[in-house]
Amino acid sequence: MVSPGLFAGAAATALAFALPATAHAAPVVVPDDCAQAVAVAEMAEQDYQDTVKWYKDLIAQGGNPGIAEEQAVIDARADRDRTATQAQRICGP
């Protein structure tokens, strides 16, 4: 026979997992946070554009970009993508 205390404990645990927690609620978006996140994303986009231009200019001038130069482009792209995603997350759809 199942103890009533064990059954009540299991039911309470199941209910706790079934109800949404307040930690999972949508965060409150402050307009200043959104504007700041967008500004950072725009700066990262400009930095990426400048890095790609520098890389292409280096090649056009007869240079042979190495690993460090390629990594600079990769890092700028990753930063651009990260900040754009963060801005989207902060500002919402």
Side-chain angles (χ1 to χ4, degrees), residues 66-89:
I67 294 171
E69 290 81 9
E70 291 174 4
Q71 191 62 47
V73 174
I74 291 168
D75 291 345
R77 183 182 319 132
D79 192 40
R80 176 199 66 179
D81 294 346
R82 180 186 54 79
T83 57
T85 301
Q86 186 174 10
Q88 186 178 22
R89 201 174 301 132

Side-chain angles (χ1 to χ4, degrees), residues 30-52:
V30 178
D32 291 341
D33 291 345
C34 180
Q36 183 178 11
V38 169
V40 170
E42 288 173 349
M43 286 189 305
E45 173 66 28
Q46 186 60 48
D47 183 50
Y48 173 70
Q49 299 284 337
D50 292 343
T51 304
V52 169

